[in-house]
Amino acid sequence: MALYKKVLGYILRPIEENMLFFLFMYVLGAVCILFEPWGGCSRFWSFFELLFDVYVLSALLCVVPKRLRQVVRGCLYPIFYLTAIVDMALFYRLNSPIIPILLQMAMQSNVNESTEAINSYIDSSLLLSPVSLVFVVLLVHLCIAVKPDWRQKLKDFLQCVMKRHRLVISSGLTALLLFSGWSCAMNKKFLYYNIIEGLKVIDVQKEMGDDDTRTGFYIPVYRLLDAIVENREMKDIIMKLHEHAGKGEATLGDDAPSHVVFIIGESYNRYHSHLYGYDLPTTPYQDKLNETGRMAVFTDAVSSWNATCESFQSMLSMYCVGDKRSWYEYPFFTTLIRNAGYQVAFLSNQFVMDCGTSYSSFVEDVFINDKVLSDAQFDIRNSEIHPYDLGLVDDYRQVKDKVAEHNLWIFHFMGLHADFHERYPESWKHFTAKDYHRRDLLAADVEILADYDNAIRYNDYVIKRIIDEFKDKDALIVFVADHGERVYDDCQVFGRNLTWNATDIKSQFSIPFWIYATPRYYEHHQDDFKAILDARNKRYMTDAIGHTLLRLAGVKTPYYRAERDVISTKYDENRKRIIREERDFDEIVKP
């Protein structure tokens, strides 16, 4: 019994020696968890993880000599409080907590810009939000800190409670810590520390296995540390990308087409495409193209990511999932095709250089909107974001006279990016609630579903207008989506997440992918198009699309790998399709 009490005494020591620190840091974290859910975090598990975190930090403080302990705590307090205030204020004003791009913008801003931004966001509505609760916790903490008698009374009260119920409290705390430690392991808690140390998520996830659920960076200080680490890593990536910018041996074959048109859709769920069997007529133009016999509709294509940023970098880079080096250590296919002699145009309704309304986020800014890298990949860029994707046709018409002997035209849609009702003009409202018989959905949900299908139908029209510009030319048109979107597919929810449920994964990763030949291309490249048709039913993942596009463009380069080119007879169809560099798509979505 004496040994048992001694052990329990050791367990209570971190709290007893850092009583106020433990109390207020837990309350601060709890306020952030309660009023600022983010990234799919589970509040239930987060409270236990917070207990474990604050306890471990208090235990580490016990190692610090007593004369320095107060100094260390004094340094930690402003970091935790200030981070919580900024994070929660950002969440309630911008609907985003501290993320890498916001930290980058803050670091690049001067004093005047920062002051103006702060003044524009601080008002009475912010003070009436849960941000004020952080100030309340801070105010109470300050009052106790500057009032020795208050502080002593609080300590005496807490010590009295702990002394009177020591056995119960210590036993209960032990049980909670064991449960919290288990919760941290189950929710990949140590993932935070690995990310903070700069390790790749994939390395940690391989150790954790496939059955656990990520809760995300559940408190502000983790989000800040993650943002700092990612900024540091991005700085290193930029340096490496700049070192190799514009480099890559490539030559042009004798039978290269005059035009390769690469259309990249956005958030396009294949199961909402009539071309792929959807029961509503969402793709009338693509259906007509398919009837010509000059269209190869690939039946089993998936995206490598369910997010634009990572999907884009995997499509542009010659890197494929499973390669030994990182994506930024391989050349972009756009650079290689340009080095071979193509003129490359990138017309995007999301990524425009120096455009504050762009949807471009941190990583895209690195490899698309960085001037050095943009100049190494593209000869032509558009200069503005349009309300609707049809504006890209006008962008093309402004530059089509700059045509070269061989051209790659990349059209990147805003497409089906939420909010869906903003992706098509009101005059294109074709589907309404009466077209759906979903008694499992609320009326508002059915409206969202109709908006998504209307956006796909409008998307189909934009594709028509683009192809019309090339219908009399020697052109090959390739359409693929960056990723899918879950939109009430055998469920009552929409949006992308990481449940790893087979139905959800199909919606988010199964995408349309087709190749269309204009009459002139078909006439002059019949053998090539027959090879394309023969590949329609092969399993495919879009991280390898650069290899396929180089072949279609007639480009020869040492970076091309036939086993990654779905058109090639040497294509490795048995390669595992590892989505998000984590899990095998075909193990989750079984035939």
Side-chain angles (χ1 to χ4, degrees):
M1 188 65 179
L3 179 61
Y4 180 64
K5 288 183 177 181
K6 187 174 182 180
V7 171
L8 293 180
Y10 280 118
I11 293 173
L12 283 176
R13 183 187 165 200
I15 298 178
E16 289 179 326
E17 295 191 10
N18 302 279
M19 198 169 293
L20 295 182
F21 177 86
F22 183 91
L23 174 64
F24 282 100
M25 292 304 95
Y26 187 85
V27 172
L28 176 64
V31 168
C32 294
I33 291 170
L34 191 60
F35 293 99
E36 191 186 359
W38 180 254
C41 300
S42 165
R43 290 176 179 169
F44 177 78
W45 293 115
S46 294
F47 285 118
F48 290 106
E49 292 166 10
L50 177 63
L51 175 68
F52 189 83
D53 271 2
V54 178
Y55 180 84
V56 169
L57 186 55
S58 299
L60 291 174
L61 285 172
C62 289
V63 180
V64 179
K66 287 187 177 181
R67 62 180 180 274
L68 294 177
R69 197 177 301 166
Q70 190 170 351
V71 175
V72 174
R73 287 195 297 249
C75 293
L76 291 175
Y77 286 140
I79 293 173
F80 292 156
Y81 277 113
L82 184 60
T83 303
I85 291 169
V86 172
D87 190 75
M88 191 171 285
L90 288 171
F91 186 83
Y92 278 93
R93 291 311 303 262
L94 303 179
N95 198 31
S96 171
I98 295 172
I99 55 176
I101 183 62
L102 293 178
L103 181 62
Q104 183 196 40
M105 292 169 62
M107 293 171 64
Q108 293 177 350
S109 300
N110 57 40
V111 176
N112 290 336
E113 290 173 336
S114 299
T115 303
E116 290 177 2
I118 292 172
N119 290 336
S120 65
Y121 291 132
I122 295 179
D123 57 22
S124 58
S125 65
L126 185 63
L127 296 177
L128 293 175
S129 73
V131 178
S132 60
L133 294 178
V134 178
F135 284 104
V136 170
V137 176
L138 174 60
L139 182 61
V140 173
H141 195 168
L142 287 174
C143 289
I144 292 175
V146 299
K147 294 282 188 178
D149 53 332
W150 290 15
R151 183 168 65 252
Q152 192 58 49
K153 286 181 180 179
L154 179 59
K155 282 185 176 181
D156 290 343
F157 170 75
L158 294 174
Q159 287 173 350
C160 179
V161 172
M162 293 184 71
K163 185 175 181 180
R164 183 176 301 175
H165 306 286
R166 189 174 186 80
L167 187 61
V168 174
I169 292 174
S170 55
S171 299
L173 178 63
T174 302
L176 283 173
L177 289 174
L178 288 173
F179 183 75
S180 300
W182 173 81
S183 169
C184 291
M186 288 300 295
N187 289 303
K188 296 188 182 179
K189 182 59 202 322
F190 68 83
L191 175 67
Y192 308 152
Y193 302 106
N194 281 281
I195 288 180
I196 291 165
E197 291 167 8
L199 299 181
K200 290 184 178 179
V201 174
I202 181 63
D203 296 330
V204 182
Q205 288 163 338
K206 283 180 178 176
E207 295 177 31
M208 288 305 303
D210 292 340
D211 297 324
D212 35 1
T213 303
R214 292 179 62 186
T215 58
F217 300 101
Y218 74 102
I219 52 175
V221 70
Y222 280 130
R223 293 190 277 269
L224 175 62
L225 290 170
D226 176 59
I228 291 171
V229 169
E230 186 164 334
N231 272 273
R232 185 194 68 193
E233 291 176 346
M234 284 299 108
K235 185 177 180 180
D236 293 338
I237 289 174
I238 292 171
M239 291 178 61
K240 291 179 180 178
L241 286 172
H242 281 188
E243 288 176 9
H244 303 292
K247 298 178 182 178
E249 177 187 344
T251 57
L252 200 58
D254 297 329
D255 198 29
S258 299
H259 302 273
V260 175
V261 182
F262 185 31
I263 305 174
I264 305 174
E266 168 69 50
S267 304
Y268 201 132
N269 181 333
R270 185 175 78 196
Y271 299 102
H272 286 254
S273 168
H274 187 267
L275 183 67
Y276 282 88
Y278 190 51
D279 56 353
L280 293 178
T282 53
T283 57
Y285 180 68
Q286 292 170 65
D287 294 340
K288 289 181 180 179
L289 289 182
N290 196 30
E291 294 171 0
T292 66
R294 299 190 308 276
M295 186 180 192
V297 180
F298 287 75
T299 59
D300 192 7
V302 301
S303 59
S304 54
W305 287 83
N306 62 342
T308 299
C309 164
E310 290 85 355
S311 180
F312 238 83
Q313 72 189 29
S314 71
M315 285 197 293
L316 290 185
S317 172
M318 294 301 288
Y319 164 84
C320 291
V321 176
D323 289 347
K324 293 181 179 179
R325 291 179 290 163
S326 299
W327 68 270
Y328 49 84
E329 297 178 274
Y330 292 81
F332 297 124
F333 88 83
T334 43
T335 295
L336 295 174
I337 203 170
R338 188 169 181 262
N339 290 351
Y342 271 77
Q343 176 177 261
V344 180
F346 182 61
L347 307 177
S348 174
N349 207 24
Q350 289 194 50
F351 308 141
V352 176
M353 297 187 68
D354 302 322
C355 180
T357 61
S358 171
Y359 268 74
S360 177
S361 64
F362 189 42
V363 182
E364 289 98 332
D365 278 329
V366 171
F367 66 91
I368 294 180
N369 284 349
D370 177 270
K371 189 176 189 317
V372 172
L373 299 175
S374 178
D375 290 345
Q377 296 179 80
F378 313 119
D379 299 286
I380 299 172
R381 296 284 302 265
N382 59 323
S383 58
E384 62 177 308
I385 300 295
H386 306 286
Y388 306 110
D389 287 328
L390 189 60
L392 294 176
V393 176
D394 294 329
D395 289 337
Y396 166 76
R397 288 177 173 175
Q398 292 177 18
V399 299
K400 68 178 183 178
D401 292 338
K402 298 179 181 179
V403 65
E405 184 177 358
H406 300 284
N407 305 269
L408 170 65
W409 304 94
I410 302 176
F411 293 86
H412 176 217
F413 291 172
M414 180 69 76
L416 309 171
H417 210 293
D419 293 322
F420 308 135
H421 69 277
E422 295 180 356
R423 300 294 162 246
Y424 64 92
E426 184 65 26
S427 60
W428 274 84
K429 192 173 184 63
H430 182 85
F431 305 111
T432 60
K434 64 180 174 52
D435 295 305
Y436 302 87
H437 304 283
R438 293 288 301 271
R439 294 182 178 179
D440 58 320
L441 299 181
L442 299 174
D445 297 333
V446 176
E447 287 296 330
I448 293 173
L449 179 56
D451 285 334
Y452 186 75
D453 290 344
N454 282 323
I456 287 184
R457 190 176 174 91
Y458 178 72
N459 200 262
D460 182 71
Y461 174 69
V462 177
I463 291 171
K464 174 188 185 304
R465 291 289 301 273
I466 291 174
I467 294 180
D468 283 347
E469 297 291 331
F470 295 91
K471 63 183 180 182
D472 298 325
K473 298 179 173 63
D474 175 27
L476 193 67
I477 291 91
V478 179
F479 177 86
V480 71
D482 61 349
H483 55 77
E485 185 80 35
R486 181 182 58 170
V487 190
Y488 304 108
D489 304 282
D490 298 323
C491 63
Q492 288 77 47
V493 291
F494 81 96
R496 282 166 272 148
N497 66 355
L498 279 177
T499 64
W500 299 111
N501 171 276
T503 300
D504 288 349
I505 293 303
K506 284 170 61 179
S507 300
Q508 296 176 66
F509 291 88
S510 295
I511 55 171
F513 170 40
W514 51 258
I515 301 174
Y516 170 76
T518 62
R520 284 184 61 183
Y521 179 94
Y522 184 78
E523 180 183 351
H524 294 106
H525 309 272
Q526 290 194 18
D527 290 341
D528 291 335
F529 194 72
K530 183 179 183 305
I532 295 172
L533 288 175
D534 291 342
R536 286 174 294 178
N537 296 317
K538 293 180 180 178
R539 295 166 60 254
Y540 191 60
M541 189 164 72
T542 56
D543 63 325
I545 201 164
H547 297 273
T548 300
L549 287 168
L550 287 177
R551 177 210 173 92
L552 296 175
V555 172
K556 299 179 180 179
T557 173
Y559 296 99
Y560 167 81
R561 286 174 282 171
E563 68 273 16
R564 295 291 182 261
D565 171 18
V566 70
I567 311 299
S568 171
T569 56
K570 298 179 181 179
Y571 175 65
D572 179 13
E573 192 175 359
N574 295 319
R575 179 174 78 107
K576 289 187 176 182
R577 297 189 288 185
I578 307 298
I579 55 176
R580 290 185 62 92
E581 299 203 21
E582 292 183 52
R583 308 186 189 188
D584 189 339
F585 175 89
D586 298 290
E587 284 295 318
I588 302 171
V589 182
K590 297 184 179 182

